[in-house]
Amino acid sequence: MSTKRRTYKSYSPELKLEAVKRALAGESVKVIAHHFDITDPDYIYKWMNQYEMYGEVGLKRKIRNHPQLDKDAIIQELEMESAYSSLVRIFGNEIKRKREEVLIKVSDN
């Protein structure tokens, strides 16, 4: 019985994008897999689905085995982006008001 650990090969987002673009252009998935040394041509089909759903960003995201965890992560990211946008909106207006006050003081002198 072997105690060797299984190693997994990872692929860069750039390689995934190039493989997807070539597949969408009509090139054979097997040929693309062989050219890029991709161990399983089915990966390219998965990347194509991710690309169609999320665009290029989908090729950079790490997909989790549990779909609910992935959905929770997306929701958390969106909530953080919304909070950030709100802070920028609030403090952005405050900064504009301070700037106008300074300009008024300068013009009064």
Side-chain angles (χ1 to χ4, degrees):
M1 186 168 185
S2 178
T3 59
K4 272 187 161 181
R5 286 186 172 208
R6 185 175 184 157
T7 59
Y8 294 93
K9 190 170 184 177
S10 62
Y11 303 97
S12 72
E14 295 81 16
L15 181 140
K16 293 177 185 179
L17 181 61
E18 182 63 27
V20 166
K21 285 184 176 181
R22 288 172 68 168
L24 291 175
E27 192 172 341
S28 165
V29 172
K30 287 183 180 184
V31 170
I32 297 168
H34 179 73
H35 177 78
F36 288 115
D37 197 29
I38 298 169
T39 56
D40 185 354
D42 286 341
Y43 287 150
I44 298 171
Y45 291 113
K46 291 177 187 178
W47 299 338
M48 289 170 66
N49 288 335
Q50 290 172 341
Y51 182 77
E52 288 173 2
M53 285 186 91
Y54 303 107
E56 287 184 36
V57 175
L59 299 176
K60 295 177 184 174
R61 294 182 61 237
K62 190 166 198 147
I63 302 299
R64 295 181 178 95
N65 290 335
H66 195 287
Q68 184 62 36
L69 292 176
D70 197 38
K71 191 183 338 176
D72 290 343
I74 292 170
I75 290 170
Q76 185 179 12
E77 283 178 33
L78 291 172
E79 287 172 346
M80 288 172 38
E81 287 175 13
S82 177
Y84 176 76
S85 296
S86 297
L87 288 173
V88 168
R89 192 172 39 254
I90 291 167
F91 290 113
N93 290 336
E94 187 175 319
I95 291 169
K96 285 178 187 175
R97 273 189 253 115
K98 292 285 185 184
R99 181 175 178 266
E100 289 171 5
E101 288 174 12
V102 169
L103 289 174
I104 290 171
K105 285 180 184 178
V106 170
S107 66
D108 288 342
N109 291 335

